Amino acid sequence: MVVLSVPAEVTVILLDIEGTTTPIAFVKDILFPYIKENVKEYLQTHWEEEECQEDVSLLRKQAEEDSHLDGAVPIPAASENGADDLQRVIQAVVDNVCWQMSLDRKTTALKQLQGHMWRAAFTAGHVKADNFHRRFESCCGVPEITAAEGDSQVGFFEDVVPAVRKWREAGMKVYIYSSGSVEAQKLLFGHSTEGDILELFDGHFDTKIGHKVESESYRKIANSIGCSTSNILFLTDVTLEASAAEEADVHVAVVVRPGNAGLTDDEKTYYSLITSFSELYLPSSA
Ligand SMILES: CSCCC(=O)C(=O)COP(=O)(O)O
Ligand SMILES: [Mg+2]
């Protein structure tokens, strides 16, 4: 087995989710289809609620910023002109969300709405919490999406939970940094195969602190944790994120998982690679 020695100055492990703790297939084939298939009904049901209106305002603001982009979908302001007008605005929001998702945009506006939709799905019982890791089920007309046991559509790779427990026993702090909203992250870790494992994490960060491809985000994270950037080891599948973190003096390792995007030969040579969290060696746990 390949072993990657964690530098002695590292006291914090910062984890990406999609492609790192969690198969890309789980996000793309289970979590995201739920959004696309339910967004219209969600908006129609929750439209009058303050939270939903805040989500729509944020999406509208994002749409204005995106107006120069090819295929961008504007969201008109809702007027008092009756039900037809309301349906036109809702359809524009649906089209905007689907357009953003077709590009796998990581905007805070999109991620916030997704998090609220997943929460509503849990609350309404559309999602079975005890088997969330391999079934994301809807009772509102959407076909049940079930992944067969042993395939890649589970919530977490099997090495994740044992490794995180071990790191914590060795005195490491463990944080999550994902484009998925903190609320969505907590749903995921709150419903793992091993039950609620939120207590394994010292905290969560999302794009509200900044985008993952921007170095400044990692400086802000270190500041928020109260450590130096060089005390952090960031594990991610995306080299653009690794590069931004490294520019901020964060240690990085690129995680190679089944279903992840391939790396170039240069990237394979340049970055420390791991295929499982069990390949990390902590001198302090020796
Ligand atoms: C429950 S987290 C949802 C995952 C998600 O929406 C996402 O965009 C994942 O991005 P990551 O930064 O974890 O690669
Ligand atoms: Mg990722």
Side-chain angles (χ1 to χ4, degrees), residues 16-20 212 236-238 241:
D16 163 61
I17 293 180
E18 187 186 358
T20 298
K212 294 172 78 187
T236 181
D237 59 316
V238 175
E241 296 171 5

Side-chain angles (χ1 to χ4, degrees), residues 1 5 9 49 54 63 102 160 173 251 259-260 270 273 275:
M1 183 176 77
S5 214
E9 64 181 338
E49 294 165 21
E54 281 167 13
S102 72
V160 171
K173 288 195 178 304
H251 296 275
N260 283 6
Y270 181 77
L273 307 178
T275 61

Side-chain angles (χ1 to χ4, degrees), residues 3-266:
V3 170
L4 178 67
S5 214
V6 175
E9 64 181 338
V10 169
T11 54
V12 172
I13 299 186
L14 183 65
L15 299 174
D16 163 61
I17 293 180
E18 187 186 358
T20 298
T21 63
T22 301
I24 288 180
F26 179 77
V27 177
K28 297 255 157 64
D29 300 342
I30 297 186
L31 292 184
F32 286 176
Y34 179 85
I35 301 297
K36 286 188 192 150
E37 289 157 13
N38 289 283
V39 61
K40 189 166 186 169
E41 185 180 334
Y42 176 87
L43 291 168
Q44 280 165 339
T45 308
H46 297 271
W47 190 259
E48 298 300 335
E49 294 165 21
E50 196 179 328
E51 181 184 85
C52 184
Q53 282 305 307
E54 281 167 13
D55 291 350
V56 171
S57 296
L58 210 56
L59 284 163
R60 187 177 286 115
K61 199 160 157 264
Q62 183 65 48
E64 283 160 16
E65 283 170 29
D66 290 344
S67 58
H68 63 288
L69 298 177
D70 221 20
V73 181
I75 301 176
S79 66
E80 304 289 312
N81 291 341
D84 284 354
D85 187 60
L86 177 61
Q87 288 311 314
R88 199 171 52 83
V89 177
I90 288 179
Q91 190 57 51
V93 178
V94 171
D95 293 343
N96 179 282
V97 165
C98 290
W99 169 70
Q100 287 205 57
M101 289 185 71
S102 72
L103 300 173
D104 196 17
R105 300 285 304 283
K106 305 286 189 187
T107 64
T108 301
L110 175 65
K111 295 293 157 188
Q112 183 169 299
L113 176 73
Q114 288 175 339
H116 291 154
M117 283 187 65
W118 288 321
R119 186 191 62 205
F122 269 90
T123 310
H126 294 171
V127 179
K128 301 283 191 283
D130 58 346
N131 58 6
F132 179 55
H133 58 288
R134 53 188 144 85
R135 179 188 288 187
F136 198 84
E137 185 182 39
S138 164
C139 350
C140 45
V142 178
E144 183 181 294
I145 305 164
T146 311
E149 196 136 10
D151 74 13
S152 64
Q153 292 178 311
V154 291
F156 300 100
F157 290 105
E158 62 184 5
D159 51 280
V160 171
V161 174
V164 173
R165 288 194 203 284
K166 208 169 136 198
W167 299 339
R168 290 181 63 87
E169 277 163 23
M172 289 281 164
K173 288 195 178 304
V174 185
Y175 288 82
I176 302 292
Y177 181 28
S178 168
S179 304
S181 68
V182 166
E183 196 161 14
Q185 296 173 25
K186 288 184 175 173
L187 282 172
L188 186 69
F189 290 98
H191 299 89
S192 85
T193 41
E194 300 193 30
D196 184 345
I197 52 163
L198 277 171
E199 60 173 24
L200 292 182
F201 301 97
D202 293 280
H204 298 255
F205 298 98
D206 61 18
T207 53
K208 284 191 181 146
I209 201 141
H211 287 283
K212 294 172 78 187
V213 294
E214 291 165 8
S215 299
E216 191 54 22
S217 309
Y218 300 87
R219 292 188 193 100
K220 286 184 183 161
I221 286 174
N223 197 36
S224 163
I225 294 172
C227 67
S228 151
T229 51
S230 62
N231 297 136
I232 301 177
L233 169 65
F234 178 47
L235 305 183
T236 181
D237 59 316
V238 175
T239 52
L240 274 177
E241 296 171 5
S243 157
E246 208 176 40
E247 209 180 299
D249 210 20
V250 165
H251 296 275
V252 298
V254 172
V255 184
V256 178
R257 300 286 201 180
N260 283 6
L263 301 173
T264 64
D265 287 343
D266 283 352

